[in-house]
Amino acid sequence: MCSNHDFTAARAAVLRKVGGPLEIEDVRISAPKGDEVLVRMVGVGVCHTDLVCRDAFPVPLPIVLGHEGAGIVEAVGEGVRSLEPGDRVVLSFNSCGRCGNCGSGHPSNCLQMLPLNFGGAQRVDGGRMLDAAGNAVQGLFFGQSSFGTYAIAREINAVKVAEDLPLEILGPLGCGIQTGAGAAINSLGIGPGQSLAVFGGGGVGLSALLGARAVGAAQVVVVEPNAARRALALELGASHAFDPFAGDDLVAAIRAATGGGATHALDTTGLPSVIGNAIDCTLPGGTVGMVGMPAPDAAVPATLLDLLTKSVTLRPITEGDADPQAFIPQMLRFYREGKFPFDRLITRYRFDQINEALHATEKGGAIKPVLVF
Ligand SMILES: [Zn+2]
Ligand SMILES: [Zn+2]
């Protein structure tokens, strides 16, 4: 590391125009102040939200994306109490820590969620990330901007983990895997003997499968067009895996596989027709969770009378309703017990292959790419 009192020299993937590409550039990061921590990145996952922010969702440019970082604390601000240099951390989403939802253990519903995570957050004391020419680059994307060799995060979103765990691949526990597993465990509250129909066998859907199995779900059905992903779902404990384009009656097949209907369903696609199937295969009194990013004009594909007569609850879910400081350790306990093999979802790439890894996320070539440094 090259640093002085004021700045740490780093390499970071900078997004300068909508649609990309991300260019790896020399940057300087000012020292952590207040509740900030400087983290040397060891691995960072690629999540669908990185693509959305590269291509469409308005974020201030230039910016460093990346929000599934894992690394080692290098320095801490004067206000940090629970972390010190040398600690291994997984970085999760940012939250204010002060609003009513944060105070009641629901930071994923933080009233400041959008400004704190999508590029509007300011560093303590006006600290900055600067490019080689001395121009400002936006950091703190999801409280981390972890597509770089070093990142500034905050004490509230840096979760300490044990030294014997494979730090390089732990980053996705901070977003994608937390979103799927948290949806099953926290939001839907699945328990022993219950059933879950998961629509979409990508990183979030398969993490929901792992979470549901870890807490004892009886049947988990995965609906996914990609044959390799269906095969993986079955290896990871799915009771059935259906191809939605096979031409059969999908809703009837799911009902048959779950003893008349699933107690819970989870949509990861954001597609109204798929959410319609999720509603139809769920038993009365059941809940359909929704984590997929919908098109701006997409609407719920059911009438109010449908919902009333079926008595199905629709449940939009952000970040798996997780408090990362509690839920990441919980997932790691399941992992140690052999009940949560999330490592099966991961494909490693070098940091300089970042655009390739984003492409693989987009085209389905990898379920969960992780960039290693
Ligand atoms: Zn808050
Ligand atoms: Zn994410």
Side-chain angles (χ1 to χ4, degrees), residues 94-103 106-113 116 156:
N94 201 1
S95 57
C96 80
R98 291 186 295 272
C99 71
N101 288 338
C102 282
H106 298 286
S108 62
N109 288 333
C110 176
L111 303 184
Q112 301 296 320
M113 189 72 182
L116 283 180
I156 201 167

Side-chain angles (χ1 to χ4, degrees), residues 222-261:
V222 174
V223 179
E224 162 61 44
N226 179 309
R229 292 184 179 196
R230 289 199 304 277
L232 179 60
L234 292 170
E235 282 178 41
L236 295 176
S239 52
H240 302 76
F242 294 129
D243 178 355
F245 302 122
D248 310 324
D249 184 339
L250 180 63
V251 169
I254 295 171
R255 285 181 182 152
T258 52

